[in-house]
């Protein structure tokens, strides 16, 4: 039989050892318990930074979108586009004869006047028929160098035909009270009828193109001539134009 003293000694030894182990274990795990809250704090900080950056990007995108929308609306309101481009037929296309125009006078820079007239002839509505008509008018011309006196002509189908162009004019035989400027003719006789809608729209495009290319001054005016050259039906077509003047270009 084992002695009682030995059993009690062994029991106390085991008890003390267990107590020492219980005391040492918390000490071993204590550093881990201290580090865990620190890792959680770092994760929270990183999450907040990421969320903040995403929020900033979102707000910036909304601001940029609103700004671009405002710019687009302003551009559409300030400068509306020309509805139709200018369909220009050059002089060399309908009259390749290359007539000498040395007797013509050069225009000053940026004209301030446009005089609208009609040709008093038949109308034409295609390049073929208009070319034939213009060549007939050219053969009957009595002006300098047998040249038509118009700078440009507008046909019924909305085409613009170049004659003298933007930079030349026939010298005036009489002085006028209104500035010398472009002579824009509407092909046809409008003593009884009015110009077509396409002719008036083409005239608007012509004025816009002439101003944008700096052939016309921004403050240019549109004039009529006498009753023969600018009949009332033609003049009425321009009464709503901001640049329209009731004065006649050949008023003495």
């Amino acid at each position: 039989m084992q002695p009682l003293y030995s059993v009690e000694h062994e029991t106390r030894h085991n008890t003390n050892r267990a107590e020492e182990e219980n005391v040492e274990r918390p000490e071993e795990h204590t550093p881990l318990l201290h580090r865990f809250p620190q890792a959680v704090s770092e994760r929270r900080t990183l999450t907040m930074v990421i969320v903040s950056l995403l929020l900033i990007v979102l707000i910036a995108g909304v601001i940029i979108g609103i700004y671009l929308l405002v710019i687009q609306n302003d551009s559409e309101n300030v400068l509306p586009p020309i509805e139709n481009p200018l369909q220009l037929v050059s002089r060399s296309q309908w009259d390749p004869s290359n007539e000498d125009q040395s007797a013509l006078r050069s225009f000053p820079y940026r004209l301030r006047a446009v005089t609208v007239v009609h040709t008093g002839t038949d109308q034409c509505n295609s390049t073929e028929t208009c070319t034939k008509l213009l060549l007939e008018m050219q053969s009957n011309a009595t002006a300098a160098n047998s040249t038509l006196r118009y700078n440009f002509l507008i046909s019924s189908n909305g085409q613009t035909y170049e004659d003298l162009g933007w930079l030349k004019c026939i010298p005036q035989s009489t002085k006028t009270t209104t500035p010398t400027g472009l002579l824009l003719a509407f092909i046809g006789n409008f003593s009884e009828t009015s110009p077509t809608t396409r002719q008036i729209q083409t005239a608007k495009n012509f004025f816009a193109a002439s101003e944008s290319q700096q052939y016309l001054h921004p403050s240019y005016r549109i004039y009529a001539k006498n009753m023969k050259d600018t009949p009332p039906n033609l003049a009425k077509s321009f009464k709503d134009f901001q640049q329209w003047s009731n004065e006649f270009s050949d008023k003495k």
Side-chain angles (χ1 to χ4, degrees):
M1 177 179 295
Q2 187 176 4
L4 180 60
Y5 172 79
S6 177
V7 173
E8 291 178 353
H9 176 74
E10 184 176 354
T11 300
R12 286 197 301 271
H13 178 73
N14 292 335
T15 301
N16 293 335
R17 184 176 181 182
E19 290 177 353
E20 291 176 358
E21 289 178 354
N22 290 335
V23 172
E24 292 176 356
R25 286 176 184 174
E27 293 178 355
E28 292 177 355
H29 295 287
T30 299
L32 295 178
L33 292 175
H34 283 299
R35 285 197 295 269
F36 182 74
Q38 183 177 1
V40 172
S41 177
E42 291 177 354
R43 290 178 183 176
R44 287 180 180 177
T45 302
L46 180 60
T47 302
M48 291 179 63
V49 171
I50 295 175
V51 172
S52 300
L53 290 176
L54 292 177
L55 185 60
I56 292 173
V57 171
L58 178 62
I59 295 175
V62 172
I63 293 175
I64 293 174
I66 295 174
Y67 174 78
L68 294 177
L69 183 61
V70 171
I71 292 296
Q72 181 180 0
N73 291 337
D74 289 344
S75 63
E76 292 176 354
N77 294 332
V78 173
L79 287 176
I82 297 176
E83 295 184 6
N84 297 307
L86 190 65
Q87 302 178 37
L88 183 63
V89 180
S90 66
R91 176 65 183 261
S92 61
Q93 288 179 267
W94 66 268
D95 181 21
S97 60
N98 295 322
E99 294 281 345
D100 181 23
Q101 297 183 353
S102 58
L104 298 180
R105 186 168 63 86
S106 298
F107 269 136
Y109 178 68
R110 302 184 77 175
L111 299 170
R112 295 178 178 268
V114 179
T115 301
V116 293
V117 297
H118 71 167
T119 59
T121 63
D122 295 334
Q123 298 188 29
C124 61
N125 53 19
S126 68
T127 304
E128 182 180 358
T129 58
C130 288
T131 297
K132 182 179 178 180
L133 177 60
L134 291 176
L135 289 175
E136 291 177 357
M137 295 169 58
Q138 174 72 27
S139 64
N140 296 326
T142 58
N145 291 354
S146 298
T147 301
L148 295 177
R149 61 195 179 103
Y150 312 113
N151 294 97
F152 293 91
L153 304 97
I154 299 178
S155 63
S156 300
N157 64 332
Q159 288 182 308
T160 304
Y161 290 82
E162 179 189 28
D163 185 18
L164 302 179
W166 277 289
L167 303 177
K168 296 289 184 179
C169 69
I170 295 176
Q172 297 289 333
S173 58
T174 58
K175 294 182 179 181
T176 61
T177 57
T178 55
T180 300
L182 295 174
L183 191 60
L184 180 64
F186 288 75
I187 300 176
N189 191 325
F190 302 103
S191 299
E192 302 294 335
T193 60
S194 299
T196 64
T197 302
R198 296 190 68 176
Q199 282 180 303
I200 300 303
Q201 181 60 53
T202 298
K204 292 180 181 179
N205 296 340
F206 173 78
F207 296 144
S210 299
E211 184 179 355
S212 66
Q213 297 181 43
Q214 298 188 359
Y215 293 118
L216 282 180
H217 194 276
S219 61
Y220 74 92
R221 302 286 288 171
I222 304 172
Y223 296 92
K225 227 178 180 185
N226 52 39
M227 285 288 189
K228 179 181 178 180
D229 293 328
T230 310
N233 288 322
L234 178 59
K236 287 179 182 178
S237 301
F238 293 92
K239 66 178 182 178
D240 295 330
F241 281 53
Q242 182 180 0
Q243 299 88 354
W244 176 249
S245 173
N246 291 322
E247 297 182 28
F248 288 104
S249 63
D250 57 353
K251 182 179 179 182
K252 297 181 181 180

